[in-house]
Amino acid sequence: NDIDVIPSLNSLTESDRQTLMRNGIELLVPLKNSQRLVGLLLLSSKISGEPYSNEDRQLLQTISDKVAASIEGAVRYESMKVEHGELQKAMDGVVYAVSLVVETRDPYTAGHQRRVAELARAIAKEMGLSDWQTRGIHITGLLHDVGKIAVPAEILSKPGKISQYEFNMIKTHPQVGYEILEKIEFPWPVTQTILQHHERLNGSGYPQGLCGDDIILEARILGVADVVEAMSSHRPYRPSLGLDSALEEISQARGVLYDSEVVDACLRLLRKNDVEFERLMTVASQQYVHNNV
């Protein structure tokens, strides 16, 4: 009834006027959040046929503030999801690109990082870790040997036995990997895990000789996955030792070199189940193909 009286309504186009009239709209309530208009609440006639009272209008105005805040929150949330998704895609691309840099220098271990990442993720799931932690472990697995970029390629692919000097060069890769990635603020302990993935419970690992609980859980998981995958794969200096030998190694060193809970989860996952191991390795291979199509 106020369309021709209130200036802001008087300026409505004929099409908008017809829409309001056709739908029997009697009341327009602006939805504002901090003076920002986020929508309009349009109400048609009451079922009872009674006009809207001042109390009705006050109640609707109170409700409209909450509705406006909810709408604004929902819009921001959707926007954040889109932005997060784009950032996630960018991060995944960077992770895979960095991972492939190492593999191009060391053809004998091509795919090693992806296979370790897939096995580490499976072990983490078997242990009941959250999806968030599991994702972080997978990403760390894809990057864990990035420090090998500082190791001469002729050492990485040397077919014979390496010297102590050459082994000392290889042993620098956790520290180098840490230094390469330390400026990136990952939402998981990626750099610490990379630094520690060759540490062992009894202090015999490197580069810091950490013991027991000083080694973070993610590094203990990655360490077991790394050993199992490495022993199960061909290397320039030896043929594959096989999955059974790898599982025997972690079983015998359970609680000494490797975390007992991690070893138990890995054994549950793979012992007497070569099919599951092959499936994980196949998934890792398919991820490579998918990300390069």
Side-chain angles (χ1 to χ4, degrees):
N1 295 334
D2 297 327
I3 282 182
D4 294 322
V5 179
I6 300 176
S8 57
L9 296 181
N10 190 36
S11 63
L12 288 174
T13 65
E14 185 59 31
S15 175
D16 288 337
R17 286 174 176 249
Q18 289 300 320
T19 299
L20 294 176
M21 299 298 292
R22 188 166 56 253
N23 290 281
I25 302 302
E26 286 197 9
L27 202 62
L28 283 75
V29 183
L31 302 176
K32 289 185 177 181
N33 188 37
S34 300
Q35 298 306 307
R36 172 183 166 84
L37 184 67
V38 299
L40 281 171
L41 183 62
L42 307 175
L43 295 99
S44 57
S45 305
K46 284 187 176 183
I47 294 176
S48 65
E50 297 177 358
Y52 286 98
S53 65
N54 287 334
E55 287 85 357
D56 292 332
R57 293 171 184 244
Q58 290 173 1
L59 176 61
L60 288 166
Q61 191 61 58
T62 301
I63 293 173
S64 73
D65 293 339
K66 291 183 171 62
V67 173
S70 296
I71 291 174
E72 185 85 342
V75 169
R76 287 180 180 174
Y77 176 69
E78 289 301 319
S79 177
M80 286 173 61
K81 283 206 301 185
V82 171
E83 291 177 8
H84 175 75
E86 294 303 316
L87 288 172
Q88 191 68 60
K89 288 180 183 177
M91 186 181 77
D92 287 347
V94 171
V95 166
Y96 278 100
V98 172
S99 177
L100 289 174
V101 168
V102 180
E103 294 184 0
T104 57
R105 297 187 69 251
D106 186 8
Y108 287 100
T109 56
H112 167 70
Q113 292 190 123
R114 284 179 279 110
R115 292 193 294 269
V116 169
E118 197 61 38
L119 180 55
R121 173 162 61 181
I123 292 172
K125 285 184 178 180
E126 180 69 24
M127 293 175 65
L129 270 61
S130 69
D131 290 344
W132 180 252
Q133 284 179 290
T134 301
R135 175 166 176 73
I137 288 170
H138 182 253
I139 285 176
T140 307
L142 292 172
L143 297 170
H144 76 279
D145 275 347
V146 68
K148 285 185 177 178
I149 197 169
V151 180
E154 56 269 25
I155 294 178
L156 293 176
S157 58
K158 184 176 179 179
K161 185 178 180 180
I162 61 174
S163 67
Q164 186 59 46
Y165 169 76
E166 291 168 332
F167 183 52
N168 288 337
M169 286 282 292
I170 293 174
K171 286 170 67 175
T172 64
H173 79 271
Q175 181 68 44
V176 173
Y178 172 84
E179 292 171 0
I180 289 173
L181 299 172
E182 67 175 330
K183 297 300 182 183
I184 301 176
E185 295 185 8
F186 291 100
W188 308 280
V190 171
T191 51
Q192 280 299 318
T193 304
I194 289 173
L195 182 63
Q196 297 180 11
H197 77 278
H198 278 290
E199 301 287 357
R200 298 296 179 253
L201 293 184
N202 64 357
S204 63
Y206 61 88
Q208 298 173 303
L210 300 179
C211 298
D213 291 338
D214 289 337
I215 307 169
I216 62 175
L217 177 60
E218 289 85 351
R220 284 179 263 162
I221 292 173
L222 193 63
V224 169
D226 193 25
V227 167
V228 171
E229 196 287 326
M231 290 185 66
S232 304
S233 301
H234 292 281
R235 287 293 183 266
Y237 50 87
R238 60 149 175 83
S240 168
L241 299 175
L243 179 60
D244 289 340
S245 295
L247 297 183
E248 186 65 22
E249 158 65 19
I250 63 171
S251 182
Q252 288 185 353
R254 177 185 180 274
V256 179
L257 299 179
Y258 312 113
D259 182 276
S260 299
E261 186 181 356
V262 177
V263 169
D264 290 345
C266 185
L267 293 176
R268 286 196 305 270
L269 192 68
L270 301 180
R271 178 161 277 173
K272 297 179 182 178
N273 192 1
D274 290 357
V275 174
E276 177 62 14
F277 183 69
E278 291 303 320
R279 186 192 70 80
L280 292 171
M281 299 305 97
T282 300
V283 168
S285 176
Q286 288 174 342
Q287 283 182 342
Y288 173 77
V289 172
H290 174 73
N291 282 278
N292 286 275
V293 171

